[in-house]
Every structure is written in structure tokens, then in C-alpha cells.
């Protein structure tokens, strides 16, 4: 399972990450950071859907997103 981490104080709420997410799990939060921006978020229940593609981290102009890729589990024969 992959995990998306958003550093809220770096996020400026541009939401470019939402446009490139292939599974549409990144949303605008109602939380506001110290700069006054509504930040991007991924809900815990949606995290299992993350493909680990890193598109969100790649497009983020503020380097506010990190993607941690989980180890792939081998299928039992």
C-alpha cells in the first residue's frame, strides 16, 4: 500500500495534484494552514486506493507532497 503525505504548511491549495491523480483520491480540505490556504488532503479510507504513481508529488510546485510506496505483496501460488 502506498501513502501520500501532504506538508500542509507548504501547500498553497493550487490543487494541481487533484487533476493528475488517476484514482481521484486527493481533495481540498476544509483545514486552513497558517498562510490562509485550504490544503490538499487524502482521507485515510481512500489511502488504500493510491497506486503510488507519484504524479501528485511530481506536479506539486511547492514540493508539499511525498509518496511512500509500500512493498508489493507476492501472490500465493
Amino acid at each position: 500500500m502506498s501513502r501520500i503525505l501532504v506538508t500542509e504548511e507548504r501547500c498553497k491549495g493550487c490543487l494541481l495534484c487533484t487533476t493528475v491523480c488517476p484514482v481521484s483520491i486527493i481533495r481540498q480540505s476544509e483545514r486552513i494552514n497558517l498562510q490562509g490556504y485550504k490544503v490538499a488532503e487524502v482521507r485515510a479510507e481512500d489511502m488504500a486506493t493510491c497506486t503510488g504513481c507519484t504524479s501528485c508529488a511530481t506536479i506539486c510546485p511547492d514540493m508539499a507532497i511525498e509518496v511512500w510506496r509500500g512493498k508489493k505483496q507476492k501472490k500465493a501460488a
Side-chain angles (χ1 to χ4, degrees), residues 4-73:
I4 298 172
L5 301 173
V6 178
T7 304
E8 292 187 358
E9 291 313 312
R10 285 187 182 175
C11 181
K12 291 185 182 157
C14 69
L15 301 178
L16 288 173
C17 52
T18 64
T19 63
V20 297
C21 180
V23 289
S24 301
I25 60 171
I26 305 173
R27 299 180 173 95
Q28 186 175 40
S29 173
E30 290 302 313
R31 288 187 311 280
I32 298 174
N33 66 13
L34 293 175
Q35 298 170 337
Y37 298 111
K38 286 187 176 183
V39 297
E41 73 172 356
V42 179
R43 295 187 182 129
E45 59 269 15
D46 295 334
M47 198 64 71
T49 312
C50 179
T51 62
C53 71
T54 71
S55 293
C56 55
T58 302
I59 200 166
C60 181
D62 301 306
M63 298 186 331
I65 300 176
E66 291 180 69
V67 178
W68 294 83
R69 293 183 180 166
K71 293 183 179 181
K72 292 184 180 180
Q73 296 183 5

